Amino acid sequence: AKLFTDTGNGATFRFAGNSNVGNHVRIEVDATDTYHVTFCFIRGTNFRVVREYTGIYAAGLRGLFEQHTWLYLSLGTMGA
């Protein structure tokens, strides 16, 4: 992931994706303390929303990202 940006009520970043799953994600917290997650595809000046999810709890963010993108998240070394 790269180009992490703080949006005030959330964050955005780019990832290695494609036109089917997107290459950019925006995660925003709402008033109910759940998250709104938007996967987008950005190329040049073209912007397209691929999929939006609402009402996601913090504990479900990692699983949602992995399920949607087929990219797996980790901190540090895998399996250590």
Side-chain angles (χ1 to χ4, degrees):
K2 59 185 175 178
L3 300 175
F4 283 88
T5 304
D6 178 357
T7 63
N9 66 335
T12 65
F13 61 91
R14 293 185 71 116
F15 59 91
N18 60 44
S19 62
N20 293 325
V21 299
N23 62 358
H24 184 93
V25 65
R26 180 176 54 215
I27 303 169
E28 298 174 312
V29 66
D30 63 26
T32 63
D33 205 26
T34 60
Y35 292 87
H36 181 90
V37 181
T38 306
F39 290 94
C40 308
F41 182 74
I42 301 173
R43 184 172 195 177
T45 60
N46 296 324
F47 173 87
R48 181 173 55 88
V49 172
V50 175
R51 184 87 191 262
E52 292 185 80
Y53 300 90
T54 59
I56 306 300
Y57 291 101
L61 287 173
R62 178 179 178 170
L64 174 67
F65 184 86
E66 291 178 348
Q67 180 182 20
H68 180 84
T69 65
W70 292 90
L71 298 172
Y72 295 94
L73 305 176
S74 69
L75 295 174
T77 60
M78 296 290 291

